[in-house]
């Protein structure tokens, strides 16, 4: 049997890429991992305890006094460039699963108000601007706006309160917007906010204007429903579909359940880190082969909140969950891959993602020992490497090449 688990610690970067400062010059100093570790060591604090991440080789690719400099586990450790413009969860996951996402259209909603308004009115909706600003209020309840959590102009949102409109209604509006949107994704969000949504609208970076989604409380108030409507992709040439066609059970956990396509996959959406690992462990304990892709979202939320202390707590919680996975994935052929999708440095001084390398830490019970991987040119190489571990041909993916150690050539 072969079980491959990919755990994506959302927003977990290990140092700025060479072009990280192109949008915001200060991002050239981004280092999510290092700055979170350094913050924990500050006055009144304590070093973070990350024994499993250390044992998986994090300290080999990101040396730090609080990370183990060696390990006895059979691991292969390296880092990956993102392989797509900007720093975005959706683009990161799609790329990681084998899509060629190198071309992302960047556009502010303000540049397409007439086109979007026209499409919504043609679909029978009432549309108006919010106080004359570039944000659309649809049917008096759903806001269509720039996404303020990603880099400016990459994503748009359609957000509503579930007490005002069922999620199917919000999703229908989002689909109408998607049909004319030039951006990477349109995100439908339904939840329970702490008050009327217009109370949480603010200016964003780069001329954007939208809803401060974390401030609304929808991430913590329960009942959150999200669907990511991405730009057209050939999902049949991504890892989940490739595995499913080969007869492997596929489970998507956490935010991965919201943003990855695979009709036959078991989906376990969750935000709390404990729930993400509980669902992941349940999938691993099932008999037979498996592909599990899980996303730890709370790290990314802590980055957006510029809260390095919370980020550190989430890393420690994730480390404990990884310990349980290492113990379970103990058969020849099993693989545990720990990586990220971008950076989100909680000390950088803004609430956006940071363009950083991410770790690629692979636990291989049948491996020859500790091996260092060459830098991956793209997150797509992570998906190709996982495909090979499952006995699948990486050429079946639209993008990516298997990572090989120096010994393998």
């Amino acid at each position: 049997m072969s079980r491959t688990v990919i755990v994506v610690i959302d927003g977990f970067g290990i140092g700025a890429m060479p072009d990280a400062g192109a949008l915001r010059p200060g991002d050239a100093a981004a280092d999510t991992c290092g700055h979170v570790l350094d913050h924990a060591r500050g006055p009144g604090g304590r070093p973070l305890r990350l024994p499993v991440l250390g044992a998986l080789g994090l300290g080999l690719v990101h040396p730090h006094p609080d990370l183990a400099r060696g390990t006895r586990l059979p691991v292969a450790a390296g880092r990956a460039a993102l392989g797509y413009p900007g720093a975005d969860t959706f683009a990161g996951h799609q790329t990681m699963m084998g899509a060629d996402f190198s071309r992302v259209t960047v556009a502010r909603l303000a540049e397409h108000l007439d086109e979007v308004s026209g499409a919504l009115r043609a679909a029978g909706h009432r549309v108006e601007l919010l106080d004359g600003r570039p944000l659309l209020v649809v049917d008096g309840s759903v806001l269509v706006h720039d996404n303020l959590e990603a880099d400016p102009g990459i994503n748009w949102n359609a957000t509503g309160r579930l007490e005002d409109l069922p999620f199917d209604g919000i999703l229908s509006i989002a689909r109408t917007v998607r049909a004319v949107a030039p951006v990477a994704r349109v995100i439908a969000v339904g939840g329970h906010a702490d008050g009327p949504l217009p109370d949480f609208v603010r200016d964003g970076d780069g001329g954007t204007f939208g809803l401060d989604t974390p401030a609304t409380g929808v991430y913590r108030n329960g009942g959150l429903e999200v669907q990511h409507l991405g730009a057209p992709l050939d999902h049949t040439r991504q890892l989940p579909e490739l595995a499913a066609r080969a007869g492997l059970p596929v489970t998507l956990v956490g935010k991965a359940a919201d943003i990855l396509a695979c009709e036959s996959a078991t989906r376990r959406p969750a935000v709390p880190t404990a729930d993400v690992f509980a669902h992941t462990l349940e999938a691993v304990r099932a008999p037979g082969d498996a592909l599990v892709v899980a996303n730890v979202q709370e790290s990314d939320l802590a980055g957006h909140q510029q809260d390095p202390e919370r980020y550190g707590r989430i890393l420690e919680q994730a480390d404990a969950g990884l310990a349980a996975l290492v113990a379970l994935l103990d058969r020849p052929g099993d693989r545990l891959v720990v990586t990220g999708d971008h950076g989100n440095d909680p000390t950088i001084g803004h609430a956006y993602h940071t363009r950083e390398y991410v770790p690629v830490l692979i636990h291989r019970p049948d491996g020859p020992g500790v091996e260092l991987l060459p830098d991956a040119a793209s997150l797509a190489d992570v998906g190709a490497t996982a495909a090979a571990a499952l006995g699948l041909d990486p050429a079946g993916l639209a993008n990516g090449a298997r990572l090989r150690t120096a010994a393998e050539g």
Side-chain angles (χ1 to χ4, degrees):
M1 289 189 294
S2 176
R3 300 170 295 177
T4 291
V5 179
I6 301 174
V7 175
V8 182
I9 303 178
D10 206 311
F12 190 47
I14 58 171
M17 290 178 55
D19 59 353
L23 179 62
R24 291 175 292 269
D27 285 10
D31 181 357
T32 301
C33 177
H35 290 158
V36 170
L37 289 167
D38 291 344
H39 178 84
R41 277 178 155 250
R46 61 164 179 80
L48 291 183
R49 301 184 182 98
L50 304 175
V52 180
L53 282 167
L56 290 172
L58 181 59
L60 300 177
V61 297
H62 188 290
H64 191 277
D66 297 333
L67 294 172
R69 298 185 181 184
T71 178
R72 296 183 178 181
L73 288 181
V75 299
R79 65 177 187 170
L82 301 184
Y84 64 90
D88 177 65
T89 295
F90 181 83
H93 281 70
Q94 302 302 334
T95 299
M96 190 185 303
M97 293 300 107
D100 183 356
F101 225 74
S102 59
R103 295 183 179 180
V104 174
T105 302
V106 176
R108 296 183 297 274
L109 179 62
E111 300 163 349
H112 296 272
L113 287 174
D114 291 344
E115 186 178 5
V116 176
S117 297
L120 288 165
R121 291 190 178 105
H125 297 288
R126 177 168 52 91
V127 184
E128 55 192 338
L129 294 175
L130 180 67
D131 300 327
R133 303 298 299 277
L135 182 152
L136 300 179
V137 182
V138 184
D139 298 334
S141 61
V142 175
L143 305 188
V144 176
H145 58 93
D146 292 314
N147 180 298
L148 303 186
E149 296 174 71
D151 281 334
I154 289 183
N155 306 319
W156 297 348
N157 281 24
T159 307
R161 302 193 310 171
L162 295 176
E163 50 264 56
D164 297 331
L165 186 69
F167 185 67
D168 284 348
I170 300 169
L171 183 57
S172 177
I173 290 169
R175 284 175 171 151
T176 301
V177 175
R178 171 73 274 174
V180 296
V183 294
R185 57 177 163 153
V186 173
I187 309 171
V189 181
H192 300 287
D194 293 336
L197 293 182
D199 291 352
F200 303 98
V201 167
R202 63 173 174 83
D203 289 311
D205 197 13
T208 57
F209 184 69
L211 188 68
D212 187 342
T213 305
T216 67
V218 298
Y219 289 130
R220 52 180 165 75
N221 288 340
L224 178 67
E225 296 193 61
V226 179
Q227 188 160 333
H228 298 253
L229 308 177
L233 294 171
D234 185 358
H235 296 296
T236 66
R237 299 194 66 192
Q238 290 187 284
L239 180 60
E241 283 288 355
L242 189 67
R245 288 198 304 274
L248 295 171
V250 177
T251 303
L252 306 175
V253 181
K255 201 170 184 178
D258 299 326
I259 61 180
L260 295 180
C262 181
E263 186 174 344
S264 63
T266 299
R267 298 181 184 273
R268 296 286 185 262
V271 175
T273 300
D275 292 348
V276 169
F277 279 100
H279 291 315
T280 303
L281 289 165
E282 179 184 4
V284 172
R285 291 188 180 107
D289 299 339
L291 168 65
V292 183
V293 183
N295 173 282
V296 177
Q297 184 180 0
E298 286 189 301
S299 48
D300 191 51
L301 298 180
H304 287 305
Q305 294 160 353
Q306 290 289 276
D307 188 343
E309 185 174 344
R310 182 188 179 198
Y311 201 120
R313 292 196 303 269
I314 297 304
L315 281 183
E316 289 189 325
Q317 193 174 4
D319 196 85
L322 292 171
L325 284 172
V326 169
L328 278 176
L329 295 166
D330 59 353
R331 305 168 187 164
D334 284 349
R335 295 291 184 270
L336 171 62
V337 182
V338 180
T339 187
D341 51 350
H342 50 73
N344 198 341
D345 190 331
T347 71
I348 204 69
H350 61 72
Y352 300 103
H353 295 157
T354 43
R355 186 165 168 80
E356 300 179 50
Y357 292 101
V358 296
V360 181
L361 313 176
I362 306 174
H363 178 246
R364 313 159 300 165
D366 53 348
V370 179
E371 296 183 280
L372 294 179
L373 296 168
D375 282 354
S378 168
L379 282 170
D381 296 349
V382 176
T385 302
L390 288 165
L392 306 173
D393 183 358
L397 304 174
N399 192 21
R402 176 192 168 197
L403 288 169
R404 300 177 183 273
T405 64
E408 293 174 303

